[in-house]
Amino acid sequence: MRAFTAAQDWLTVVQLPSYAPDLNPVEGIWSLLRRGFLSNIAFTSPEHLIRTIRQGLRTIQYRSDLIDGCLAGTGLALTPV
């Protein structure tokens, strides 16, 4: 992997710690799901759980402010080239 990334002029690689949930925007998405869509529900089946998670993710997908907030919470930024 190091040889491959070194050969790519356009690619910048930053080594992150092996376990850093505070740098992972997906942790923010799961937090939103746990606090909202998955809270106070007794799931009747695995399918019910999956359906609820998909509905929550679909709702979050259309709320770009929530996704931006999860990224901003990490302190990282996407910089266009």
Side-chain angles (χ1 to χ4, degrees):
M1 183 61 77
R2 287 187 181 130
F4 173 78
T5 57
Q8 311 304 317
D9 294 338
W10 56 270
L11 184 62
T12 301
V13 177
V14 177
Q15 183 67 38
L16 297 176
S18 57
Y19 180 71
D22 49 328
L23 296 177
N24 187 352
V26 174
E27 294 293 332
I29 300 295
W30 279 113
S31 177
L32 289 171
L33 286 172
R34 282 191 306 269
R35 289 181 306 172
F37 300 96
L38 302 178
S39 63
N40 298 321
I41 295 179
F43 296 104
T44 56
S45 66
E47 291 78 20
H48 182 210
L49 172 64
I50 291 168
R51 209 172 35 250
T52 305
I53 290 172
R54 284 187 177 155
Q55 178 184 7
L57 289 173
R58 204 171 297 118
T59 302
I60 292 170
Q61 175 184 1
Y62 294 109
R63 294 277 314 271
S64 61
D65 58 318
L66 293 178
I67 297 171
D68 291 343
C70 291
L71 182 60
T74 65
L76 302 174
L78 296 176
T79 53
V81 177

